[in-house]
Amino acid sequence: MTDSVLVIGAGVAGMRAALDLARHGIAVVLVEREPVLGGVMASRLCDDEETFDFAHGVEVPKVTQIAAQKNIEVLTMSDVVELNGTAGSFTATIRQRSRFVTDACTQCRHCHTACPQVAPNQFQAGVTLRKAIYTPFRGAFPASYVIDVDTCLNKPPNYLPCQRCVEVCDDKAIHFEVPLERKLTREIGAVVLATGFAVEGSNEPDKYGYGLHPDIMTYMELEQLIAPTGPSGGFVEKLSNSSSPVSVLYVMDDASRFAAGCAAAQCDKLISQDINNVVVLHPPKTNEGDRFTEFWRRVAKRDCVLVEGQLERVTPVEDEQLRVRYKDVTQPLSTTENYDMVVFTTRATASPRFEEVARTLHIEHNGSGFVKAGQAIGGVNATTQPGIYVAGCASGLKDVTETIAESKSAAIHSMRHVTVRAPANGNEPAISGHTGLMIDGKWQTDDQIRQRIESVLINLLQP
Ligand code: SF4
Ligand code: SF4
């Protein structure tokens, strides 16, 4: 039996679960495939200024909190490749790819200037470019630079055709001689699976005129302009001429709770930057209960105009404007208006990694590419394998509020499989052999644990 829980995925769900576990004295191994923490919302979660998401009314976890937690071992560029054992006593094998840059990196940027290889920065939805040696964005964690071997001229272990970055690195932080990858094993009692979701690019480019003009963009591209760590420092600018937009048409591809959550958060940001003409064009609302209505209320409260209808055409016109024609279901004729920017949501899907992760963990999916959840003990968090719990969008698309509630619940369930626990301050030595659970400095009885789990689940289901 061990005192550790393995958390796979370091987006909102994985970070929330890891922090909750660590704060209750559980040792956490946090495994993330990418070189930095944060997942799809990385640029937001790396910014420490806003810990509260006003659009959703919840506190979001921050990477600085993870960095400060001694109980969390962070393994980036890593994948779990094998899991053996049973609940309470698993052995995980983790493959970690090399960064080729050590912690000695001072982020001086000399290598970035020297490197000749350029690629779109996938961490900023391609709105910026990066070099083969790079850090995804300001404030990323871990902070040290990373080499993308696929774009580097010096793809190890080949002959060294390029040494430019090594030559300018005064801190001797770049090492091509290290192995391409290494294997690690960790003894863990439970797993929290938080692999999140994937966002498609533009699925119907002709419909939205995507690619015709830089100010027609996806909501993931807008997300980068909103993020304080983004290319415009968090102030939304037109990509065509760097001016501030006055009017934005926000086109929703679907009216799910997930899409409404994204729209609410982003429109809230647009309005808070004095962009007063924000029109949300949406399909008919789906019946997703009171919480969905709450999202609409939040959007409308922020002075956005909600129009049920369909986009018909976007045409770039003079003065970097976009002429939009759309059908408002309440009007007999189509409406034509000019906007500075057109933003559209794109489809979110199950993570393409899930198939492979499911095979490794011996769990089932639900036929749509998401984890099959809601099995026996563990409620919404339980997978088809005891001791493996799912949190957030890995089991289906959810908004931030639901994701955080589910992550807290997954953390609590996973604590049941860990028998060696430390006091709640998390930084003191572990207490071996105790079979109870300590929460907020007090040992809990089985009934208290059960009540805690029930209250989390009740909160989760409440509007
Ligand atoms: S790898 Fe070296 S040159 Fe590049 S940012 Fe780090 S310290 Fe500077
Ligand atoms: S070896 Fe050359 S191409 Fe590769 S990261 Fe360094 S400077 Fe860039």
Side-chain angles (χ1 to χ4, degrees), residues 211-231:
L212 285 178
H213 193 277
D215 298 331
I216 304 172
M217 65 183 71
T218 68
Y219 76 119
M220 288 309 290
E221 289 166 340
L222 175 65
E223 186 67 22
Q224 298 311 315
L225 300 183
I226 286 171
T229 55

Side-chain angles (χ1 to χ4, degrees), residues 142-169:
S144 56
Y145 275 45
V146 57
I147 290 177
D148 169 13
V149 285
D150 291 328
T151 49
C152 175
L153 293 171
N154 183 21
K155 188 172 181 176
N158 297 340
Y159 167 70
L160 305 181
C162 179
Q163 286 280 320
R164 291 174 180 85
C165 55
V166 178
E167 284 161 6
V168 297
C169 182

Side-chain angles (χ1 to χ4, degrees), residues 438-456:
M438 185 179 270
I439 295 176
D440 296 334
K442 296 191 184 98
W443 292 109
Q444 307 287 298
T445 64
D446 274 357
D447 276 349
Q448 285 171 319
I449 296 169
R450 193 162 40 248
Q451 279 167 14
R452 198 174 173 91
I453 292 171
E454 281 169 4
S455 79
V456 169

Side-chain angles (χ1 to χ4, degrees), residues 164-431:
R164 291 174 180 85
C165 55
V166 178
E167 284 161 6
V168 297
C169 182
D170 296 335
D171 298 289
K172 309 280 177 241
I174 304 169
H175 294 272
F176 280 109
E177 70 281 7
V178 296
L180 279 173
E181 61 182 45
R182 60 175 183 158
K183 278 196 176 172
L184 308 161
T185 56
R186 295 289 182 272
E187 303 298 323
I188 42 125
V191 179
V192 175
L193 181 61
T195 43
F197 64 99
V199 182
E200 292 181 357
S202 167
N203 26 30
E204 292 179 271
D206 294 343
K207 181 169 146 191
Y208 300 108
Y210 185 69
L212 285 178
H213 193 277
D215 298 331
I216 304 172
M217 65 183 71
T218 68
Y219 76 119
M220 288 309 290
E221 289 166 340
L222 175 65
E223 186 67 22
Q224 298 311 315
L225 300 183
I226 286 171
T229 55
S232 52
F235 293 97
V236 177
E237 289 181 348
K238 286 167 58 118
L239 290 176
S240 59
N241 59 10
S242 300
S243 66
S244 301
V246 173
S247 55
V248 176
L249 179 71
Y250 196 99
V251 186
M252 293 176 63
D253 195 44
D254 69 275
S256 66
R257 191 187 299 176
F258 174 81
C262 293
Q266 294 198 323
C267 291
D268 180 70
K269 288 282 180 192
L270 293 174
I271 295 283
S272 68
Q273 293 189 17
D274 295 331
I275 303 168
N276 293 321
N277 183 8
V278 178
V279 176
V280 180
L281 188 63
H282 63 87
K285 294 174 197 171
T286 52
N287 183 20
E288 292 204 41
D290 291 345
R291 293 195 55 190
F292 180 72
T293 308
E294 170 66 12
F295 285 127
W296 287 109
R297 196 186 61 73
R298 283 178 195 275
V299 174
K301 202 171 134 195
R302 293 298 272 157
D303 295 331
C304 297
V305 176
L306 300 178
V307 177
E308 182 179 329
Q310 218 177 4
L311 187 70
E312 293 180 335
R313 190 191 300 159
V314 184
T315 315
V317 289
E318 64 280 0
D319 297 331
E320 300 294 358
Q321 286 255 300
L322 301 164
R323 180 156 300 152
V324 177
R325 196 178 77 190
Y326 64 84
K327 182 76 184 74
D328 177 343
V329 293
T330 65
Q331 301 298 323
L333 297 175
S334 296
T335 305
T336 302
E337 288 166 347
N338 281 7
Y339 287 90
D340 288 324
M341 207 181 250
V342 173
V343 179
F344 60 95
T345 60
T346 56
R347 213 166 296 139
T349 60
S351 166
R353 320 166 28 188
F354 176 64
E355 194 85 9
E356 185 189 328
V357 174
R359 263 198 309 275
T360 305
L361 303 186
H362 317 292
I363 59 175
E364 294 174 24
H365 59 75
N366 64 5
S368 309
F370 292 101
V371 180
K372 189 173 181 181
Q375 309 298 304
I377 300 168
V380 292
N381 298 110
T383 67
T384 47
Q385 282 293 337
I388 302 180
Y389 300 97
V390 63
C393 293
S395 60
L397 298 176
K398 299 173 187 78
D399 62 50
V400 176
T401 315
E402 292 171 296
T403 295
I404 286 181
E406 247 192 55
S407 308
K408 286 173 169 288
S409 166
I412 291 170
H413 282 300
S414 66
M415 286 180 199
R416 287 179 159 269
H417 305 284
V418 185
T419 56
V420 184
R421 299 193 178 109
N425 68 18
N427 295 331
E428 295 170 25
I431 300 168

Side-chain angles (χ1 to χ4, degrees), residues 69-81:
Q69 253 298 343
K70 291 180 183 166
N71 281 350
I72 302 177
E73 177 189 18
V74 174
L75 296 175
T76 53
M77 302 185 72
S78 298
D79 292 288
V80 177
V81 291

